[in-house]
Amino acid sequence: MEFRLKNELEEIRLLAEAIELWGEENGIPGKTLFQLNLALDELLTNTITYGYPEGGEHEIMLRLIPEGEKELLIEIRDDGLAFNPLEVKAPDLKQDIEERPIGGLGIHLVRQMLDELEYRRENGQNILLMRKKY
Amino acid sequence: MDIKKTQEDRKLTIALAGRLDSNSAPQLEAELKESLVDINDLVLDFAELVYLSSAGLRVILAAQKQMNKQGRMVIVKVNETIMEIFEITGFAEILTIER
């Protein structure tokens, strides 16, 4: 499936609904869909919140392709500021509550929810390729 | 997301229904900011919460930090999916959770 969303946070919920519907039709387990949607939410929230400091309407493209029996290939392309989520430092999860920074967990969740993540910058676009097994 | 508040003296129960994400987290943050004055017992009821992302975790962490100073906070009726997010992020160890 292919989905185009505008750089507005409300669009993420619409994407999640579309993926759930598509997933149910294609026999993908609910838990897989939840985890995939959480990872996409974190990535897209970052892109929409920080990727377009100059504002204006932009389009983010997402493709979801079943691969083999039990794997999904997901691609996101956006024309926001260059951002490689793989360069984000992992948070210290053992920190005491008072020392815990508020934030920094989104990319950690992305890594936990997906099996593979690849990033490249090409022609002014961020391209993320992800794999999710189930 | 729907937020339902019930107050009894200095105990406040906030029941959340729906999705706590980047879109709805500011709503909860504003609600807490307004309601926590003089509260020493905060109960977050997650029975109807179906989704939680890091934007929601941030608001929960801030609430826990504030309640540590003025009383206690407990999260109740956490479903399995949400519990998994608390575990993956290490939140299970810093929050008081009653399933």
Side-chain angles (χ1 to χ4, degrees), chain A residues 7-115:
Chain A
N7 52 325
E8 292 167 9
L9 291 176
E10 302 88 81
E11 298 266 299
I12 297 173
R13 186 178 51 84
L14 302 180
L15 170 69
E17 284 167 7
I19 288 178
E20 266 163 35
L21 199 65
W22 176 87
E24 278 164 27
E25 283 166 4
N26 288 277
I28 295 160
K31 187 172 176 174
T32 305
L33 297 172
F34 181 95
Q35 293 178 339
L36 174 61
N37 273 327
L38 179 57
L40 295 177
D41 179 356
E42 298 295 348
L43 289 165
L44 292 166
T45 294
N46 268 341
T47 304
I48 293 169
T49 311
Y50 304 111
Y52 305 102
E54 81 294 356
E57 190 175 308
H58 293 260
E59 192 176 68
I60 301 166
M61 209 213 37
L62 183 134
R63 284 199 303 159
L64 199 53
I65 306 153
E67 282 224 318
E69 290 261 312
K70 290 191 167 193
E71 192 171 88
L72 296 172
L73 178 68
I74 310 107
E75 182 189 59
I76 302 179
R77 286 174 181 257
D78 70 73
D79 62 352
L81 292 183
F83 173 67
N84 181 354
L86 295 169
E87 286 171 358
V88 176
K89 222 176 108 201
D92 179 358
L93 301 179
K94 294 282 170 208
Q95 254 175 348
D96 184 71
I97 177 161
E98 289 308 324
E99 289 156 17
R100 280 254 188 157
I102 292 188
L105 288 164
I107 299 300
H108 172 69
L109 280 173
V110 171
R111 288 194 167 126
Q112 297 297 312
M113 296 295 137
L114 300 173
D115 294 290

Side-chain angles (χ1 to χ4, degrees), chain A residues 9-10 12-13 16 20 31 34-35 37-39 41-42 45 50 93-106 108-109 112-113, chain B residues 19-23 50-55 57-59 61-62 64-66 68-69 80-82 84-85 87-91 93-95:
Chain A
L9 291 176
E10 302 88 81
I12 297 173
R13 186 178 51 84
E20 266 163 35
K31 187 172 176 174
F34 181 95
Q35 293 178 339
N37 273 327
L38 179 57
D41 179 356
E42 298 295 348
T45 294
Y50 304 111
L93 301 179
K94 294 282 170 208
Q95 254 175 348
D96 184 71
I97 177 161
E98 289 308 324
E99 289 156 17
R100 280 254 188 157
I102 292 188
L105 288 164
H108 172 69
L109 280 173
Q112 297 297 312
M113 296 295 137
Chain B
R19 294 167 57 90
L20 180 51
D21 57 14
S22 52
N23 200 33
V50 298
Y51 181 84
L52 173 64
S53 74
S54 69
L57 288 171
R58 275 194 282 277
V59 179
L61 180 62
Q64 180 73 65
K65 284 185 179 183
Q66 183 174 348
N68 282 351
K69 292 185 193 127
E80 202 181 313
T81 323
I82 305 280
E84 207 175 310
I85 297 171
E87 277 161 6
I88 287 172
T89 51
F91 271 48
E93 284 154 43
I94 53 178
L95 301 172

Side-chain angles (χ1 to χ4, degrees), chain B residues 33-48:
Chain B
K33 201 173 172 186
E34 194 178 289
S35 316
L36 289 188
V37 184
D38 289 335
I39 295 299
N40 65 5
D41 192 359
L42 175 65
V43 180
L44 296 178
D45 182 336
F46 279 11
E48 305 289 325

